[in-house]
Amino acid sequence: MIGYYISLALRSLRSTPILSALMVAAIAVGVGASMTVLTLNYTMSKNALKHKDDVLFAVQLDGWDVNEAANTTNEIPWQLTYRDTQALLRSDIPTHQVAMHRYGFTVELEDSAIRPYTADIRVTTRDFFALFDVPFIYGGTWEQAADNSPSQVVIISKATNEKLFSGKNSVGETVILNSQPFTVIGVIDTWEPSPKVYDVNNSSFAKVESLFVPFGLHRKLEIYSWGNTNGWGNSGEGEGEGYEGFLQSESVWIQFWVELRDSEQKAEYENFLTAYIQGQKDQGRFERPLKFALSKPSEWLVLNEVLSDDNRILGWVSLAFLLVCVINAVALLLAKFLRKAPEAGVRRALGASRNAIFTQHLIESSTIGILGGIVGILLAFMGISGIRYLAMGQLDTVAKMDWIMVIAAIGLALIASLLAGLYPAWRISRTNPSIYLKTQ
């Protein structure tokens, strides 16, 4: 019976091509617009570290201006100072702990035809790769000593390995970074967490850095941050002048993460942070009330408003637009079905039940919804491609539709068409056959 109703629906659509096209277009435009926005929101709200959400924590310490809290969601600076970072790195409580920031080097090879280019680099500690589950193709990370003393070694991405060494095992090869020779000790596989949870301070959807160098190189190469560096009052003035003064200043520019396996380890680390802050207070620092934060990746994304309120509002606006399209489809379906009232009246007189008439017309509206969903998916792909073009590479990891969203688009179109078809199908199922029999 269902197959018969579908054939009736297709025959009905062919008999009124213009009206049918308008209904399909109404559903398609609504689905296309809403799925474009919902796809972006869906991708932005992902947590790439969901599998370790209970054991990873971003560390914040409140050493800000005593007169004014930091301008962040939880009123604690997002990042740490260099000397606080060094103090926390001396703790042996966390299973893994990572200090890091973004930087950039000029990359070249000796005696190579490859032209020098500027690359984004992550200056970090060795635990970065274990804590964030970064996969290696060749080699591995550096020794622990490289986090505190200069060691000119580098880990490169798979794409960089392809570019510089044609994809071969490049461990042991030399790369020139800012005119300094660095030895390649590892090559990581493709790794693109999106959003980039470990560093949402410098564009949540930027590409992962292509090279990684040890944290212990700061003093030798006078490495600053290519990301956000914030301070308050005269916090830029530290103990000493020049680069050493910067390292000892109250400027915050380093992100810090720890891995704590269980609640006991977390409680022990919280006691450690409390004792550290209290010790700094005794030395005249951390003048604000004792406060720190350990945020899970999911909490960190919310705190940093990776999916902003504007995006959420835009999502609701797109659904409201779909509702307007559905209302238009209701009017068009009602007009189409009422034109077929004599036919329905004759069928009722011949014994067709109201449920049969209702089901037949609901299937017809569902057919319109499926067609509208297919066209809507094409419109959504066009909309996402347009956003990717306008963003000029900034949203490449976000502006893409996966199979889940394709299925969601079909489902949304079906729901929209069923909602649009309920009232018209109910109206025509209530047709009084005697009225139309008299006119025959």
Side-chain angles (χ1 to χ4, degrees), residues 135-423:
F136 278 87
I137 303 175
Y138 306 119
T141 186
W142 47 77
E143 299 294 330
Q144 186 78 53
D147 291 341
N148 299 306
S149 58
S151 179
Q152 293 186 189
V153 295
V154 62
I155 293 171
I156 63 178
S157 67
K158 182 179 179 181
T160 302
N161 193 49
E162 291 282 350
K163 182 174 184 175
L164 299 180
F165 302 107
S166 303
K168 70 176 185 180
N169 185 349
S170 57
V171 172
E173 299 284 352
T174 299
V175 178
I176 308 300
L177 304 179
N178 277 13
S179 304
Q180 296 280 335
F182 280 69
T183 303
V184 177
I185 61 168
V187 179
I188 64 169
D189 204 347
T190 302
W191 181 67
E192 287 289 347
S194 180
K196 205 166 75 173
V197 190
Y198 66 85
D199 182 7
V200 291
N201 299 95
N202 302 294
S203 181
S204 307
F205 302 101
K207 292 183 178 178
V208 171
E209 294 77 8
S210 54
L211 299 98
F212 302 82
V213 298
F215 202 73
L217 288 166
H218 279 100
R219 283 191 171 85
K220 180 177 182 179
L221 302 181
E222 296 196 352
I223 296 173
Y224 288 87
S225 172
W226 271 27
N228 295 323
T229 300
N230 302 107
W232 51 274
N234 61 350
S235 60
E237 300 176 6
E239 299 174 3
E241 297 179 350
Y243 187 71
E244 189 60 32
F246 172 68
L247 292 183
Q248 300 306 320
S249 74
E250 296 293 348
S251 296
V252 294
W253 52 290
I254 298 172
Q255 298 124 22
F256 202 90
W257 285 80
V258 292
E259 181 174 345
L260 304 169
R261 288 292 182 189
D262 50 43
S263 56
E264 289 78 12
Q265 197 177 24
K266 185 183 177 190
E268 188 180 1
Y269 194 68
E270 288 172 339
N271 291 335
F272 163 75
L273 292 179
T274 302
Y276 174 72
I277 295 173
Q278 191 59 56
Q280 295 303 302
K281 283 181 174 292
D282 294 340
Q283 296 176 30
R285 298 181 65 217
F286 287 78
E287 297 178 85
R288 296 185 59 76
L290 197 153
K291 188 177 181 182
F292 62 86
L294 295 173
S295 303
K296 299 177 181 179
S298 57
E299 296 169 338
W300 191 239
L301 293 170
V302 173
L303 278 174
N304 283 272
E305 298 179 337
V306 173
L307 181 62
S308 67
D309 289 340
D310 290 344
N311 289 95
R312 291 190 178 89
I313 292 171
L314 198 57
W316 286 112
V317 169
S318 69
L319 290 176
F321 179 72
L322 176 60
L323 181 62
V324 172
C325 294
V326 169
I327 293 172
N328 285 328
V330 170
L332 293 170
L333 276 170
L334 194 59
K336 178 181 174 65
F337 287 175
L338 290 181
R339 285 177 57 184
K340 295 165 58 181
E343 178 186 329
V346 171
R347 285 196 62 206
R348 287 275 292 116
L350 294 175
S353 66
R354 286 178 174 174
N355 284 340
I357 301 294
F358 178 81
T359 304
Q360 175 197 336
H361 289 86
L362 204 58
I363 287 176
E364 184 171 339
S365 65
S366 300
T367 306
I368 292 169
I370 291 172
L371 294 174
I374 293 170
V375 179
I377 289 171
L378 295 177
L379 292 177
F381 274 118
M382 291 172 62
I384 290 170
S385 298
I387 291 171
R388 198 158 47 223
Y389 174 77
L390 293 173
M392 294 184 291
Q394 297 297 313
L395 294 176
D396 283 357
T397 59
V398 181
K400 56 185 179 184
M401 180 178 269
D402 58 18
W403 281 108
I404 294 177
M405 297 311 292
V406 170
I407 294 171
I410 295 289
L412 191 65
L414 267 176
I415 292 171
S417 61
L418 287 173
L419 289 175
L422 277 175
Y423 178 67

